[in-house]
Every structure is written in C-alpha cells, then in structure tokens.
Amino acid sequence: MKALQYVAIGQPPEVREVPTPEPGPGQVRVKVTAAGACHSDSFVMGLPEEDYAAGYPLPMTLGHEGAGIVDALGEGVTEVSVGESVAVYGPWGCGRCRQCAQGKENYCERAAELGITPPGLGHDGSMAEYMIVDSPRFLVPLGDLDPVDNVALTDAGLTPYHAIKGSLAKLGPGSTAVVIGTGGLGHVAIQILRALTPATVIALDVNEEKLALAKDVGAHHAFLSNEDAVEAITRATGRATVTAVFDFVAIQPTVDLGSALSGVETDLVLVGVGATKADVGMLARPFDATIRSPYWGSRAELMEVLDLARAGLIDVETESFSLDDAPEAYHRLHEGTLRGRAVITP
Amino acid sequence: MKALQYVAIGQPPEVREVPTPEPGPGQVRVKVTAAGACHSDSFVMGLPEEDYAAGYPLPMTLGHEGAGIVDALGEGVTEVSVGESVAVYGPWGCGRCRQCAQGKENYCERAAELGITPPGLGHDGSMAEYMIVDSPRFLVPLGDLDPVDNVALTDAGLTPYHAIKGSLAKLGPGSTAVVIGTGGLGHVAIQILRALTPATVIALDVNEEKLALAKDVGAHHAFLSNEDAVEAITRATGRATVTAVFDFVAIQPTVDLGSALSGVETDLVLVGVGATKADVGMLARPFDATIRSPYWGSRAELMEVLDLARAGLIDVETESFSLDDAPEAYHRLHEGTLRGRAVITP
Amino acid sequence: MKALQYVAIGQPPEVREVPTPEPGPGQVRVKVTAAGACHSDSFVMGLPEEDYAAGYPLPMTLGHEGAGIVDALGEGVTEVSVGESVAVYGPWGCGRCRQCAQGKENYCERAAELGITPPGLGHDGSMAEYMIVDSPRFLVPLGDLDPVDNVALTDAGLTPYHAIKGSLAKLGPGSTAVVIGTGGLGHVAIQILRALTPATVIALDVNEEKLALAKDVGAHHAFLSNEDAVEAITRATGRATVTAVFDFVAIQPTVDLGSALSGVETDLVLVGVGATKADVGMLARPFDATIRSPYWGSRAELMEVLDLARAGLIDVETESFSLDDAPEAYHRLHEGTLRGRAVITP
Amino acid sequence: MKALQYVAIGQPPEVREVPTPEPGPGQVRVKVTAAGACHSDSFVMGLPEEDYAAGYPLPMTLGHEGAGIVDALGEGVTEVSVGESVAVYGPWGCGRCRQCAQGKENYCERAAELGITPPGLGHDGSMAEYMIVDSPRFLVPLGDLDPVDNVALTDAGLTPYHAIKGSLAKLGPGSTAVVIGTGGLGHVAIQILRALTPATVIALDVNEEKLALAKDVGAHHAFLSNEDAVEAITRATGRATVTAVFDFVAIQPTVDLGSALSGVETDLVLVGVGATKADVGMLARPFDATIRSPYWGSRAELMEVLDLARAGLIDVETESFSLDDAPEAYHRLHEGTLRGRAVITP
C-alpha cells in the first residue's frame, strides 16, 4: 500500500510503497477514508535527532487525524464490526490507569513509561491506505457523517473542544471569549464557543483572510492581533478585560496579549505548542486568573464533538488532497496558504 | 472446581463441582481470593421465573463482589499480567458507548441490548475457585490491600461512594447527612462521609446493634429509625431538616422519613433496591429538593474507594466463610445476624 | 396614585386610588415603568381565607414582576441614584443568611420566620404608579433595555433560567431537552436552552398556537402534549428518553409524561405550581434520574438573564395594557388567550 | 478611645487616643472584642508614599481581622441587633455588582472605582476599642464561638479556605496536597484540607518549629522547604508530583518548587503576596496544570469557615496581646517568633 512517511530527519515526508499491515491480537485494521494534516506534524518533523532516537522510530507514517472503515479484526476483538465507519481517537493511553478509566487517555499516567504514542506521532498513522489501531475503544462511530468533512474534528475539533470545556462554567451570559489564531483549530473554536455558550466571541489574527473566515464562522468581532487589540476589544465590549482567552499560537507576544486581557478569574488557555514566560502571583496577575495548557481531549469529548457536527453546529473548512499530493498539503500548511484544514484522501 | 451456584428458582444456592473455565479471546481467568455476599444476591434469587427465562440462565455461579489473582490470559490480552492481585469491577458494560467511554459502565447504554450482565447477576460470578472476567479493563489493581478485608468495597464500598459523590458539592461545612440502614453498605457510607466531608453524620436503623456499629465507625449521632427520628435529629442538630439522606433500605416508611427530613435543596438518595411513591412538585416538596436512585459506580470511582482503604479511611466489617459454608453465610445474611459483610474465601 | 389591588378574597382585582407611599430607612421608591402579570398572581388570588389570615394582608397591590425608575431614597441608602432605570428582583430575603449571602434570596432561610414576602405576593407590588422596594440590593440595572419588553424577565425569564441552570452540565452535545407548556415561561425557556446549550429542544403543549410560538422562538420540534408525545419524540430524536424535562404545567398527566420520558440521569424539573405523585426508587425509575422543583432564581441569575436580553438571545412575547385595563389582562390570562406575557404600563 | 494607628510612612504603628466614631446611615458601630495581626498589615505599612497618596489616608487604624459586639446602629439599619456577637467580613465591596450579588465581595467589580477599601487596609480597622462597619451584611454571627480564639478565621481562615475550595474537586481519594509556609495561614490550611478532603497533606517550611506545628495540626508529612523537598515527597508518596500546591510564601524559590511538583492537572495556588515569573505553555508545564492567585474569600465562605470551627475541625493557634502591646505583636510577627496568630484584645 501507499503511505506518506517521514523518513529522514530534516527531510520532507515522502509517499512510499510499504507492506499492508496485519492486525495483531486486540488490534483493528482500518481502511483509511480521510486523514487530516496538522501543524503538529510539522512540529514533530522538526524535532532534533535525539528525540527521535528516544521515541520516534523512522520511517514513520504520518497522520494523527484519521477516519476509515473497519477492515479486519485481530484476535479477541468483538466490539466493532467489519464495515463500520469510524473516526480514530488519537491520544492513545493504557486504558487502565485512573485517567484512562475516565476516558481521558490524553492524560494517561503510564503512556510514556509503556512507550504508547499516538498514531502519526510515533506509531504509524493515518496517511496511508490502511492503518492499525491498537484497540477497538479508539474507534468512535461516525455513522452518516462524511469522513472527509469531519476527520479534522478528531484533533482540530477535539483540541479546542477540550480547551473550551475546561472554561465552560465561566462562559455564561455577559461573558467574552477571545480566540487568538483563527486557522485550523481556531476557526473550529469559534463555532464551538457559539454552540455551547452565549459569550461574545472575539477573533484575533495577524492575517486578514483568517479574520474574514472567523467572521464567516460566527465571531462577533475580529481584530488584528497587534498592539491595538486591547483597545479594539475595549471599544467593542465596553471592558478592557475578558472572561477567557484561547491562544492557538502561544508565542510570547500572544501570551503577553492574553495576560493584558486578563481580569479577575480570567482563564488564559494556551493551546498552541509553545514555551513562554508569564508573570504570576497576587501582585502580578488579577485575582484567581488562571493559566493552563490543555492537550487534545477525552474519548467522550470526541463523541460530543461529532454530535455537534451531526447537529450542524460545527463545520470544518477543508481542502482535499490525494495521498500523492500530501507533501504539497504540508508545504501549503507550512506557508500558511491553506484556508482551513488539509485533508488527505488515500 | 467448586462453585456456589443458584440452581433452581426458589431453592437455596448449592456448592457444586463444575469444570474450571477457560478464558476466551479478550478474557481473563482470575483465581478467586475473596468473594462478598450481598443482599442483592438474595434479591436476584427471589426473582420470579419469567425474569430468569428472560436473562438469567441457570445454574449460575453467585458473587458480584470478587477479588483474585490473574491466572490465565485469553488471546489478545496484554494489559494485565499473570500473578497480579486485582479487584473485579462488577457493573460490566460495552466499553464503547458514551457512558462507558467515561468509565461509567454501570450506566452502559447498550448492556441490556447486548445481553451484558455483571458477574454473579447473570454471568457466572466470584463464588468459585476461578472466575472468567470479560475484559482486563474490569480488573483494578489491589496492590498490597488484603483481598478478604477489601473485596466488599467493590460493591458495598463503591455503591455508597457513588451515591455520596453525587451529593458531595452540597456536603460542606455546617451540613448534615443522614444514613438510613447501617448494615453492609450503610456502615461504609458513614466512613466515606467522614473521610470526604465535614458533615455531621447521623445514623438511623431499627437495630440497636447496628447503631452501635454506626457509632464505632464514625457516626456523630445514631438514633432508632422510627416516628421519633425527626425530633431526635432536630434536638441533635438544631434543625428539622438535613442536607442529604442516603437511604439504604428504601421502603415506603424510610422514603417517607427521608421526605420529612427534606428541606430546600436536600438530596434524598434511595440506594436500597425498592419501588415506592413520593409527593413531588412545588407545593409538595421543598424547593430544589431532589430524589434519585443511583446504581453501583464507575471504574474510576472504584479506584478511589480502594485509595480510601489504602489511606486507612474506610474499613469494612467482615466475617469470613469457606466456600463450603457459603450457604450458611446467605442464611445469616437473610436473618440479619451478620455484623458487617460476609466474605467467602474459596 | 392608582394601584391594582386584590381587595376581597374570591373577587377580581380592582384599580383603586391609594396614597403614594414614602420610602422608610433603607428603602427605595421606584416609579413603575412596567409590571408583568403572571399565573401565580391568579394562584395567590385563589388561595383560601386561612392563608390570607396567616400572611397576606388585604388589600394588596398585585405585581411581582416590576421595572421602574429610582424615584426617592430612604435614609441610609447610597447604593442607587435617583433616575436610574432598574428591574426589581422579586424573591426578597433577609440578606444575611447563608443562602442570601450567595444572592440566593429565593431560598432565604429566614424569610418565613421574619415575615418577608415578595412584592405582589404579600408586600405591595408593582401594579401601581409607585412601589416601595425594601433594599437597594433588589434593584438590578436595566441600562438601555426597554422596561416594557423586558420586565417579564424578572420572573418569566428568571424562573426558567434558574431551572435550566441546574441541569446545564447535562445539556451538552447530543442532549435533548423537553419543554412542557410553552406559554409565558415556557417560550422563554426554549430561547434560554437555545442560547446556553447545543441541545435539541422539543416543545410540548396542548395548544397548537403555542406550539407555533414555540417553533418561532427556536424549538427544533413541537408536538401536542398527549398520549402520542413519547412516540413523536422517539421518531424525531431516535431515542425514547431525553436528557431533561422542564415541566411548566406540573399536573399529574405532565409529570407522568415527564417520567415516561426519563432515562438514566434524566432531570425532571417541575417548574409549574403543583403537587403530584411520582414513582421513585431503583426499581421504579431509571438510575440517577432526578426530580426537583426549583423556585424563581438568584440575584446574579437575574443579571445573567438581562445579559441574554442585551445580547439579543431572548425576547419575551408581550402584550401591553394600561393600569386601567389590568383586570382585563388577568381575565385574558385566565382564559389562556394571551400570546406571551401581559405587561401593565402605569 | 484607644486605637493602633499607622501614622507616618516608614514608622512603626502607635497606640493613640482618638474620638470614638459614630455610625452614619446604613453603618454599624461594633465594640471590638478581638483583632488579628497579619503579615499583610506589615506589607501595607511597607508600601511607598505614592500608594498612600493614592488611596490610603493617614493616620489609619490597623486591623482587617475583627470581631466584636454590635454596639450602635446607624439610620436605616434593621438587620442586626445591638448586643449580637459578630465577626467582621473584611473584603468589602459595592454589594450590587455581579460578584457582590453572589457574596464574592472580595472580587467586587467596582470597589476600586468607588474607593471602597477593607477595614485596616484603607478604612479604619479593628485595632481599636470601637470600629465602624459600612453595612450590616459584613457582620457574620459568631454565636458562642470565642472571639479571641476565632477572630483570625476572618482572614487566616477564610483566605486558605477560599484557596482550597477552588481546588476541592481535584482533592479526592489518592490525592496529595502540599502546603508551603505553615505559619498563620498555612497551619489553618492544613486543618481545612484534613476536614474537607481525604488528601495526603504535606507541609513544607524553612522553620523546624513551624513544621512541628504542622504535624500537630494534622499534616501527614512535614519536610524542610529546600532542594531536597521533591525527593522527600517522592519517597513519602511514591510519586514525584502532587495534586495541588498551596504556596503561602510565593517568592521565586517556592513558586519554582511548586512548579517542580506540578504534574498533569496540578493546581499551583499562590496565596502569599508576591510577584514572580513562571514558565508556561504546553512544552514548559504539564498538561492542564494551572497557576492562580486567589484573594481572601466570599461572605458565604466565611460562614463555612466558622462552621468548621463550630464543629471543632479547625483551631487557630493564637497568642494574645493587649492593645497597648500591639506594636510588640507586630514586632514579633516581623521577626517570625510568633507561634500561630497574634490577637489584640482592646
């Protein structure tokens, strides 16, 4: 079968012919119907050699967003049937620790120790004709949902959903939510905020086209993410601070902006992959303002995201590519010229 | 191997010689170290013939509280190792529906449809030398906890724990919790309330010995469960109503007593197996006073219960019986002459 | 000044000339701009003589929904200014007990003991040119909101809002909420559900016109509230049970219908003024299905409701009447020929 | 009357003769029975001149922890009676904003704008024979609680209580809570954690005597707060990270220690008055680990703290001083030679 693989550190990924894999005991083989491309793939491909030595064997098939048709069952698998249309839950865990026992496998206590990695981020991923999924519990029914339109929800939907759910109790009437970075994840975040809360939603981005997309998908306001943003928000809402900031960029300037927008009990949620500094403490930050960095989401949360799609409440902007054109998709992703999400259809 | 089986409807259970079972794909065989006897077994044995025709094939090995040593693995099982000491999570579910995806298999959406039943309540249970467990996810590590002392926590601990957790947010400083029926489950409920909350805990029972046990395990007050109970509670706490009532008896008189003790926002939690009537509505019951009937608990909650035992915060009163004496244990349970919980050690 | 008063038990209310009241120490006089008519007024006017003897002195000015302009301040009042446009929070409490300390004056622990009653339900109410409000904390800023359009939110908005907020955590993606009775409160409930949740909202009523209103304000489905309702809901949603039922009628048939629609963890919320019976207990009702009867709402919740109106997310259907025509408004209310809410403008 | 006043910037406070104040409309005069001395007083006395120019008029009577007997009522006050024993809720707010409407006056949205300051921190405080309290809602019934033993609960109890309550949902069975700094507030925090949670409680301090106090009041473990602390905790609990860290010191080394102890979903709660830096973001901090700085507590929370004292679950270590000796109390506080809390009895 064909697979998009990361072969050598620092090189672009390649489409290669590899053996079609067989499911071992407890595993499931899925015929891939759609695979999403994500910034974190680029991040992973940019990791230095020592990280790869430690945990990511090469060549590795990319793709941590996947959907497909159950194709073959390993020994002992009874929970799914061949022919079922499924989405693949990506943040695999051990299934038995306290976090996994609640379906929060994204926070598995033992994944690192047991060498468990997500598909496409260590384990072979979805950018191939077939993929092996380690347990049927990672397969969530898609039903009638179109795989191409919805595969990105497994990360670009689930990650903002989990981030927003952690702040949901604060986002009641009269609240304001800021989304920084309105690309692949951010434009879904806006829709989730609109579906789950009565908050005023404000989009910030450095790119005018992405701000237009933000307005299209429901942002009440959209401003350039620059030194005037605080003032623009103050003018729009009548207040200089907001209830929650969801930062999908998470570089020092956006974290500083999120801090500037923080008032009493504001949640600053850093979703983008980054490492920055912040002033903390009672004299440096408003009372009970929080900072946190969520990661992906739980199994039940993925079901909830798919339910939002079923209800017509979220819709991912996608651009389709064949597997052969997948390298081009990553190129466009890197250049920032995609509108929404690139989806590979093997 | 020997097994305590319910053979014929209306007859007492018998110890019988049966073939030692083999684990199928995905299953685990456990060598039983302890099995708890419970009122619900008697309840199940009292069901009419038509219920058995519908879902409970006879003969059936009893025992829905179980602990043991992992003994043999079916095909495809990698999550547990032979030799591990485990407790068996009893309310088995499908593992994939929304409830199961959160570990709330007690509320599985598909168990009935798929014919999934708990061990000892349809599926062969723990009152045997060996038992088959349908998935490794139902095996919670016991570690150094003594199986005989702690096996009852899988139901007699988990059920009150889940019941109490649903009311935990209300049981803050100044609150009062009433436990009606301080036998097998109730005397654990008292300890859980003391461990998790600063509430004043009041025990009610018709049996003076059980009231003495209630005081021993931490109840602040213990009164006879009769027409004077409301007045006794009013005298002890200065208020005629309480924050929560956990009713482990759940017959009409105790439900009426729980209603009489209900004030604004009181939770009346009917844990005992029963069916009664209640007055409801704004003119019949205090504002936002709730009634509900929880059932067993989730996988993560069982881990939490075992953690309470590890911390020395709960301790089940038990009496040990050999498998051959198991019928006697049920006889004593039926007569109400056990202090605490009967545990069978095969 | 003119006031609509309930003068004699069993007689319709009359418009009468009474002295304009003076605010005492700590009180505020409000020049009424709008006053809502409510079913509970009729309920109160229907109470038997002994209840009036106990707590409701006659004649009494009606009206527990009120809005106005701050007109005169009693001694010691500094928190509001003359000329401010305000809504009157109705469920007055002592202000100091634990419930009041959280702004939940609707559940004041001492109101009965201290003889504190809401305006229009004991204390003189808003159906007059002026009304006395016992504390400035009961005055919530209206700002630019139109008093006539929004006065009903103080009860017909606040009551369903509080009812829904208690079930909000359950009303996530994939959930279903049923509203029984889509009149004054119910048609606002539908809008609140749409604004705060992604739930599928189903309206039930015996009146086709009210069902049409329900669809107009956002219900996804609207069915006659009869013996076919369960089947209609099953067909529409694919499931025979729902996540929550908000029953604004709360008579035995609707409570039975709500019970029939209850599954595991369903909330049956009886908002209508009534007293009925329900089957409860583990064998009679699905696991952890709850029943409760909320009452009105908290001070902060009223602010939140007004914020929903400010955001354009709720809109009360109203019909305006002069104070002289107020008796006619009650007549129409009693006959059920109002579409939405009757508002009196003195 | 006598009052301990801060007279000149940079000078120690002095006991002075001042006129006995009269309550204005809406105010209450309290005859002080006990007043607690607190580090924040020293902090305030150390503020630079420009801050005083802005908001703190001198001379100012110190004392933000107060208890007393209601002594005289201003016009319009009916909610309290002369002779009542009360504790003074310190973080005064406007009483009408959304935060105050929930009793969270510590987070009042308008206090700064309206120039509202707590007693002893702007407004004249409790270190005098009499004090003026701006509203009866700030007076919480003490009942039979001894004022000298319990006055410190108004800050040294309320502040850790509010800090802990924000993390309560995480502190279930198997959890671990670290308290850094076990002096005035920290030693109460330990008791609150023991009363409200089943967590393992670990005390860290640089002072061996304070560690002994920590063990006396219920800490399971007590270690020196130095470079070996992480290892000591790992040895004691079997894990290198903890569930929550309550840092009552909040200087860079303790914040760094708290960060080192943070794992997935850990709460780092900075209660001490400080301003530090922290690494944040997905690559710098475990997933969903939070940082926040709470401040004091709500009105209802103060009631809850007093209920814990009533139940015998918390007990503040105090040392008594006459008003004349109050300067000595501050001197000892500054030197760190107090065991527990200094209480002035005028």
Side-chain angles (χ1 to χ4, degrees):
Chain A
M1 67 169 191
K2 277 197 255 186
L4 179 75
Q5 294 201 312
Y6 186 48
V7 181
I9 294 166
Q11 300 300 312
E14 303 166 27
V15 178
R16 305 173 79 212
E17 191 64 36
V18 299
T20 300
E22 291 301 321
Q27 294 181 323
V28 178
R29 185 171 70 201
V30 168
K31 182 165 171 28
V32 177
T33 48
C38 180
H39 272 292
S40 8
D41 299 326
S42 311
F43 174 77
V44 165
M45 291 189 277
L47 288 177
E49 198 154 345
E50 53 269 34
D51 287 22
Y52 276 92
Y56 295 111
L58 294 186
M60 176 183 75
T61 302
L62 291 171
H64 58 270
E65 294 180 347
I69 303 292
V70 173
D71 179 70
L73 309 178
E75 290 172 311
V77 175
T78 59
E79 296 88 344
V80 292
S81 307
V82 169
E84 199 183 339
S85 178
V86 292
V88 179
Y89 174 76
W92 298 355
C94 73
R96 279 188 80 214
C97 72
R98 191 171 314 204
Q99 296 280 19
C100 287
Q102 301 171 71
K104 297 165 66 182
E105 306 214 9
N106 51 325
Y107 293 162
C108 176
E109 296 173 356
R110 301 193 59 211
E113 161 198 351
L114 297 173
I116 299 172
T117 53
L121 299 165
H123 188 285
D124 279 330
S126 59
M127 299 235 169
E129 293 177 64
Y130 295 89
M131 73 181 289
I132 296 298
V133 173
D134 274 5
S135 165
R137 76 176 182 275
F138 301 138
L139 299 175
V140 174
L142 261 188
D144 292 337
L145 285 179
D146 182 80
V148 176
D149 291 350
N150 292 289
V151 65
L153 294 177
T154 58
D155 177 5
L158 179 53
T159 296
Y161 184 80
H162 172 66
I164 289 164
K165 223 177 156 187
S167 296
L168 205 54
K170 295 185 178 178
L171 292 167
S175 64
T176 307
V178 167
V179 173
I180 305 182
T182 64
L185 277 71
H187 89 288
V188 185
I190 291 165
Q191 298 174 70
I192 294 171
L193 285 163
R194 292 304 310 273
L196 299 188
T197 81
T200 298
V201 178
I202 298 170
L204 300 180
D205 204 298
V206 292
N207 177 317
E208 293 277 10
E209 245 178 277
K210 288 200 173 139
L211 290 177
L213 172 60
K215 297 274 278 188
D216 284 356
V217 297
H220 295 93
H221 306 282
F223 302 119
L224 283 171
S225 180
N226 59 22
E227 63 279 3
D228 300 329
V230 174
E231 205 193 308
I233 290 172
T234 307
R235 243 179 297 119
T237 66
R239 304 187 58 168
T241 61
V242 300
T243 312
V245 177
F246 300 95
D247 181 352
F248 292 91
V249 180
I251 55 178
Q252 195 65 54
T254 61
V255 173
D256 290 346
L257 175 55
S259 293
L261 289 167
S262 294
V264 171
E265 295 180 332
T266 296
D267 283 346
L268 174 54
V269 187
L270 308 179
V271 191
V273 178
T276 57
K277 293 268 179 199
D279 292 310
V280 297
M282 198 197 285
L283 301 176
R285 205 164 193 91
F287 304 142
D288 263 331
T290 72
I291 312 179
R292 71 175 195 277
S293 300
Y295 169 70
W296 225 330
S298 75
R299 288 169 58 204
E301 286 171 340
L302 177 53
M303 295 176 185
E304 291 166 23
V305 169
L306 295 177
D307 272 329
L308 289 178
R310 263 176 212 114
L313 294 167
I314 48 174
D315 182 40
V316 189
E317 191 83 9
T318 56
E319 220 172 303
S320 269
F321 296 81
S322 70
L323 191 48
D324 289 325
D325 291 340
E328 166 69 8
Y330 277 100
H331 182 68
R332 295 266 309 282
L333 177 65
H334 185 72
E335 275 190 327
T337 59
L338 289 165
R339 183 176 153 110
R341 203 75 172 170
V343 174
I344 280 65
T345 55
Chain B
M1 68 171 190
K2 278 197 254 184
L4 179 75
Q5 295 201 314
Y6 185 48
V7 180
I9 293 166
Q11 299 301 313
E14 302 167 25
V15 178
R16 303 174 80 211
E17 191 65 36
V18 298
T20 300
E22 290 302 321
Q27 296 182 323
V28 178
R29 185 172 68 200
V30 168
K31 182 165 172 28
V32 176
T33 48
C38 178
H39 272 292
S40 7
D41 299 327
S42 311
F43 174 78
V44 165
M45 290 189 278
L47 289 177
E49 199 153 343
E50 53 269 32
D51 287 21
Y52 276 92
Y56 295 113
L58 294 185
M60 176 185 76
T61 302
L62 292 171
H64 59 271
E65 294 181 346
I69 303 291
V70 173
D71 180 68
L73 309 179
E75 289 172 312
V77 175
T78 58
E79 296 88 344
V80 292
S81 307
V82 169
E84 199 182 339
S85 178
V86 292
V88 179
Y89 173 76
W92 298 353
C94 74
R96 278 188 80 214
C97 72
R98 191 172 315 205
Q99 295 280 18
C100 287
Q102 301 171 70
K104 297 165 66 181
E105 307 215 7
N106 51 326
Y107 293 162
C108 176
E109 296 172 354
R110 302 192 60 211
E113 163 198 352
L114 297 173
I116 299 172
T117 53
L121 298 166
H123 188 286
D124 280 330
S126 58
M127 299 235 168
E129 293 176 65
Y130 295 89
M131 74 181 289
I132 297 296
V133 173
D134 274 4
S135 166
R137 75 177 182 275
F138 301 138
L139 300 175
V140 175
L142 261 188
D144 292 337
L145 285 178
D146 182 81
V148 176
D149 291 349
N150 293 289
V151 66
L153 294 177
T154 59
D155 177 6
L158 178 54
T159 296
Y161 184 80
H162 172 67
I164 289 164
K165 222 176 158 187
S167 296
L168 204 55
K170 295 186 179 179
L171 292 168
S175 65
T176 307
V178 167
V179 173
I180 305 182
T182 62
L185 276 70
H187 89 289
V188 185
I190 291 165
Q191 298 174 68
I192 294 171
L193 284 163
R194 293 302 312 272
L196 299 189
T197 81
T200 298
V201 179
I202 298 171
L204 300 180
D205 204 298
V206 292
N207 178 319
E208 293 276 13
E209 244 177 279
K210 286 197 174 142
L211 289 177
L213 172 60
K215 297 274 279 189
D216 284 357
V217 299
H220 294 94
H221 306 283
F223 303 120
L224 282 171
S225 179
N226 59 23
E227 64 279 2
D228 300 328
V230 174
E231 204 194 307
I233 289 172
T234 308
R235 241 180 297 120
T237 66
R239 303 187 60 169
T241 60
V242 301
T243 312
V245 177
F246 300 96
D247 181 350
F248 292 90
V249 180
I251 55 179
Q252 196 65 53
T254 61
V255 173
D256 291 345
L257 175 55
S259 294
L261 289 167
S262 293
V264 171
E265 296 180 330
T266 295
D267 283 345
L268 174 55
V269 186
L270 308 179
V271 191
V273 178
T276 57
K277 293 268 179 198
D279 292 310
V280 297
M282 199 197 285
L283 301 176
R285 205 167 194 90
F287 303 143
D288 264 331
T290 73
I291 311 179
R292 71 174 195 278
S293 301
Y295 169 69
W296 225 328
S298 75
R299 286 169 59 204
E301 285 171 340
L302 177 53
M303 295 176 185
E304 291 166 23
V305 169
L306 296 178
D307 272 329
L308 288 179
R310 265 176 210 113
L313 294 168
I314 48 175
D315 182 40
V316 189
E317 192 82 9
T318 57
E319 220 173 301
S320 270
F321 295 81
S322 71
L323 191 48
D324 289 325
D325 291 340
E328 167 69 7
Y330 277 100
H331 181 70
R332 296 263 310 280
L333 176 66
H334 184 72
E335 277 190 326
T337 59
L338 288 167
R339 184 175 152 109
R341 204 74 172 169
V343 174
I344 281 63
T345 54
Chain C
M1 66 171 190
K2 277 198 256 188
L4 179 75
Q5 294 200 314
Y6 186 49
V7 181
I9 293 166
Q11 299 300 312
E14 302 167 26
V15 179
R16 304 173 80 210
E17 191 65 34
V18 300
T20 300
E22 290 301 321
Q27 295 182 323
V28 178
R29 185 172 69 201
V30 169
K31 181 164 173 28
V32 177
T33 49
C38 179
H39 273 293
S40 8
D41 298 327
S42 311
F43 175 78
V44 165
M45 290 189 279
L47 288 177
E49 197 153 346
E50 53 269 34
D51 287 21
Y52 277 92
Y56 296 111
L58 294 186
M60 174 185 75
T61 303
L62 292 171
H64 59 270
E65 293 179 348
I69 303 291
V70 173
D71 180 68
L73 308 179
E75 290 172 312
V77 175
T78 58
E79 296 88 343
V80 292
S81 306
V82 169
E84 198 182 342
S85 178
V86 291
V88 179
Y89 173 77
W92 297 354
C94 74
R96 278 189 81 214
C97 72
R98 191 171 316 204
Q99 296 279 18
C100 287
Q102 301 170 71
K104 297 165 66 180
E105 307 214 8
N106 51 325
Y107 293 161
C108 176
E109 296 173 355
R110 301 194 58 211
E113 163 199 351
L114 298 172
I116 300 172
T117 53
L121 298 165
H123 188 285
D124 279 330
S126 59
M127 299 236 169
E129 294 176 64
Y130 295 89
M131 73 181 289
I132 296 297
V133 173
D134 275 4
S135 166
R137 76 177 182 275
F138 301 137
L139 300 175
V140 175
L142 259 189
D144 293 337
L145 285 178
D146 181 82
V148 175
D149 292 349
N150 293 288
V151 66
L153 294 177
T154 59
D155 177 5
L158 179 53
T159 296
Y161 184 82
H162 172 66
I164 289 164
K165 222 177 159 189
S167 295
L168 205 54
K170 295 186 178 179
L171 292 167
S175 65
T176 306
V178 168
V179 173
I180 304 181
T182 62
L185 276 71
H187 89 290
V188 185
I190 291 165
Q191 299 174 70
I192 294 171
L193 285 163
R194 291 305 309 274
L196 299 188
T197 80
T200 298
V201 179
I202 298 170
L204 300 180
D205 205 299
V206 293
N207 178 318
E208 294 275 10
E209 245 178 277
K210 286 198 175 143
L211 290 177
L213 171 60
K215 298 274 278 187
D216 284 357
V217 298
H220 295 93
H221 306 283
F223 302 119
L224 282 171
S225 179
N226 60 22
E227 63 280 2
D228 300 328
V230 174
E231 205 193 307
I233 289 172
T234 308
R235 241 179 299 119
T237 66
R239 304 187 58 168
T241 61
V242 301
T243 312
V245 177
F246 300 96
D247 181 351
F248 293 91
V249 180
I251 56 179
Q252 196 65 53
T254 61
V255 172
D256 290 345
L257 176 54
S259 293
L261 288 167
S262 294
V264 171
E265 296 181 331
T266 295
D267 283 347
L268 174 54
V269 187
L270 309 178
V271 191
V273 179
T276 58
K277 293 268 179 198
D279 292 310
V280 297
M282 199 197 287
L283 301 176
R285 206 169 193 87
F287 304 143
D288 263 331
T290 72
I291 311 179
R292 69 174 196 278
S293 300
Y295 169 69
W296 225 329
S298 75
R299 288 169 58 205
E301 286 171 340
L302 178 53
M303 295 176 185
E304 291 165 24
V305 168
L306 296 177
D307 272 327
L308 289 178
R310 263 174 213 116
L313 294 168
I314 49 176
D315 182 41
V316 189
E317 191 83 8
T318 57
E319 221 173 301
S320 269
F321 295 82
S322 71
L323 192 48
D324 288 326
D325 291 340
E328 166 69 5
Y330 278 100
H331 182 68
R332 295 264 310 281
L333 177 66
H334 184 72
E335 277 189 325
T337 59
L338 288 167
R339 185 176 151 109
R341 203 76 172 170
V343 174
I344 280 63
T345 53
Chain D
M1 66 171 191
K2 277 198 254 186
L4 179 74
Q5 294 200 313
Y6 185 48
V7 181
I9 294 167
Q11 299 301 312
E14 302 167 26
V15 178
R16 303 173 79 212
E17 192 64 35
V18 298
T20 299
E22 289 303 320
Q27 295 181 323
V28 178
R29 185 173 67 199
V30 168
K31 181 164 172 26
V32 177
T33 49
C38 179
H39 273 293
S40 9
D41 298 327
S42 311
F43 174 77
V44 166
M45 290 189 277
L47 288 177
E49 199 152 344
E50 53 270 33
D51 287 22
Y52 276 93
Y56 295 112
L58 293 186
M60 176 185 76
T61 302
L62 291 171
H64 59 271
E65 294 180 346
I69 304 291
V70 173
D71 179 69
L73 308 178
E75 289 172 312
V77 174
T78 59
E79 296 88 342
V80 292
S81 307
V82 169
E84 199 183 340
S85 178
V86 292
V88 179
Y89 173 76
W92 298 356
C94 74
R96 277 189 82 215
C97 72
R98 191 172 315 202
Q99 296 280 18
C100 287
Q102 301 170 70
K104 296 165 66 181
E105 307 215 8
N106 50 326
Y107 294 161
C108 176
E109 297 173 354
R110 301 192 60 211
E113 163 198 350
L114 298 172
I116 300 172
T117 53
L121 298 165
H123 188 286
D124 280 330
S126 59
M127 299 234 170
E129 293 178 67
Y130 295 89
M131 74 182 288
I132 296 297
V133 173
D134 274 5
S135 166
R137 75 177 183 276
F138 301 138
L139 299 175
V140 175
L142 260 189
D144 293 336
L145 285 178
D146 182 81
V148 176
D149 291 348
N150 293 289
V151 66
L153 294 177
T154 58
D155 177 4
L158 179 53
T159 296
Y161 184 81
H162 172 67
I164 289 164
K165 223 177 157 187
S167 296
L168 205 54
K170 295 186 178 179
L171 292 168
S175 65
T176 307
V178 167
V179 173
I180 305 181
T182 62
L185 277 71
H187 90 289
V188 185
I190 291 165
Q191 298 174 69
I192 294 170
L193 284 164
R194 291 304 311 272
L196 299 188
T197 81
T200 298
V201 179
I202 298 171
L204 300 180
D205 204 299
V206 293
N207 177 318
E208 293 275 12
E209 243 177 279
K210 286 194 175 145
L211 290 178
L213 172 60
K215 298 274 277 188
D216 285 356
V217 297
H220 294 95
H221 306 282
F223 302 119
L224 282 172
S225 180
N226 60 22
E227 65 279 3
D228 300 329
V230 175
E231 205 194 305
I233 289 172
T234 308
R235 241 179 298 119
T237 66
R239 302 187 60 168
T241 61
V242 301
T243 311
V245 176
F246 301 96
D247 181 351
F248 292 91
V249 180
I251 55 178
Q252 196 66 52
T254 61
V255 173
D256 291 345
L257 176 55
S259 293
L261 289 166
S262 294
V264 170
E265 295 180 330
T266 295
D267 283 347
L268 174 54
V269 187
L270 307 179
V271 191
V273 178
T276 57
K277 293 268 180 198
D279 292 309
V280 297
M282 198 197 285
L283 301 176
R285 207 169 191 89
F287 303 142
D288 263 331
T290 73
I291 311 179
R292 71 173 195 276
S293 300
Y295 168 70
W296 225 329
S298 75
R299 287 169 58 204
E301 285 171 340
L302 178 53
M303 295 176 185
E304 291 166 22
V305 169
L306 295 177
D307 271 329
L308 288 178
R310 263 174 213 115
L313 293 168
I314 48 174
D315 182 41
V316 189
E317 191 84 7
T318 56
E319 220 172 303
S320 269
F321 294 81
S322 71
L323 192 48
D324 289 325
D325 290 340
E328 166 69 6
Y330 278 99
H331 181 69
R332 295 266 308 281
L333 176 65
H334 185 72
E335 277 191 324
T337 59
L338 289 166
R339 183 176 154 108
R341 204 76 171 169
V343 174
I344 280 63
T345 54

